[in-house]
């Protein structure tokens, strides 16, 4: 079984070089593939403790904290990651999602708008449109979803969300 073999080999590398954050990050990924999330979290945390500016490990840790329902910790880790890599659109999108799950929709919207002003991206535009809809800003949502539809014309979900925004806008008094 390839994932198990990868885990064994990477685990051996970690045993030989215990202070290697790169090896620990990869060991965590191998644990993830085998659905061993507790061990993955431990390895990601250890990798970040060894190398506090390791973007990949921070991003992975933030994602795992979110998946595990630890949203406050996910936010803290992803904010740190974005401070180190302010142009990382994947981290910006993940942080915006965590912010919205924590009831900070406005902060998520602001983060996405700021990121999109520097780095146009169809998926982030779609995410922004969804957050704007949650915040009852349908006209702004339509603009964001139009951008997403232009960039991601092949994805049906974009067209569905845009149609939903237009319909919702029409139904408002």
């Amino acid at each position: 079984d390839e994932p198990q073999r990868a885990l064994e080999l990477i685990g051996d590398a970690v045993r030989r070089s215990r202070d290697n954050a790169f090896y620990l990050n990869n060991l965590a990924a191998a644990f993830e593939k085998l659905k061993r999330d507790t061990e993955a979290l431990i390895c990601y945390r250890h990798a970040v403790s060894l190398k506090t500016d390791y973007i990949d490990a921070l991003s992975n840790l933030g994602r795992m904290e979110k998946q595990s329902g630890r949203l406050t910790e996910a936010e803290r880790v992803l904010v740190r990651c974005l401070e180190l890599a302010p142009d990382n659109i994947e981290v910006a999108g993940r942080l915006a999602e965590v912010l919205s799950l924590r009831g900070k929709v406005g902060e998520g919207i602001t983060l996405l708008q700021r990121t999109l002003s520097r780095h146009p991206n169809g998926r982030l535009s779609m995410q922004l449109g969804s957050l704007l809809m949650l915040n009852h800003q349908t006209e702004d949502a339509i603009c964001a979803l139009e951008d997403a539809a232009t960039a991601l014309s092949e994805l049906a979900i974009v067209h569905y969300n845009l149609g939903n925004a237009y319909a919702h806008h029409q139904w408002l008094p």
Side-chain angles (χ1 to χ4, degrees):
D1 177 53
E2 287 181 29
Q4 184 62 41
R5 182 70 177 135
L7 180 66
E8 291 166 7
L9 291 168
I10 298 168
D12 186 50
V14 168
R15 280 186 289 285
R16 294 170 192 263
S17 182
R18 293 195 182 277
D19 293 336
N20 189 309
F22 178 77
Y23 291 171
L24 281 161
N25 187 61
N26 287 336
L27 182 60
F31 277 127
E32 264 193 273
K33 284 195 184 335
L34 293 170
K35 307 286 187 229
R36 293 171 58 181
D37 292 349
T38 301
E39 292 101 325
L41 269 168
I42 291 167
C43 289
Y44 285 134
R45 288 177 183 147
H46 190 57
V48 167
S49 75
L50 292 172
K51 188 166 172 33
T52 59
D53 62 347
Y54 188 9
I55 302 300
D56 288 343
L58 283 164
S59 177
N60 290 332
L61 177 58
R63 178 180 43 76
M64 286 292 297
E65 295 287 13
K66 178 190 153 286
Q67 283 175 212
S68 300
R70 288 185 286 278
L71 299 178
T72 302
E73 186 61 18
E75 180 181 347
R76 185 190 67 74
V77 169
L78 293 169
V79 163
R80 172 73 178 134
C81 190
L82 205 55
E83 288 169 351
L84 294 168
D87 293 331
N88 189 319
I89 60 174
E90 182 180 320
V91 171
R94 191 170 293 143
L95 177 56
E97 183 180 357
V98 168
L99 290 169
S100 72
L101 290 170
R102 295 200 62 217
K104 301 177 179 183
V105 175
E107 288 181 43
I109 288 169
T110 300
L111 171 62
L112 290 176
Q113 288 171 328
R114 190 173 53 241
T115 303
L116 284 164
S117 73
R118 294 186 319 267
H119 306 286
N121 178 282
R123 292 190 188 278
L124 284 188
S125 293
M126 187 168 79
Q127 186 178 359
L128 175 61
S130 296
L131 289 183
L132 289 164
M133 287 293 291
L134 278 175
N135 217 33
H136 307 289
Q137 295 173 256
T138 55
E139 287 184 33
D140 292 335
I142 288 168
C143 291
L145 291 168
E146 288 280 3
D147 290 344
T150 300
L152 304 170
S153 61
E154 75 283 357
L155 294 179
I157 188 69
V158 176
H159 297 278
Y160 170 80
N161 286 343
L162 181 57
N164 193 33
Y166 272 113
H168 186 73
H169 185 66
Q170 296 298 322
W171 296 328
L172 290 177

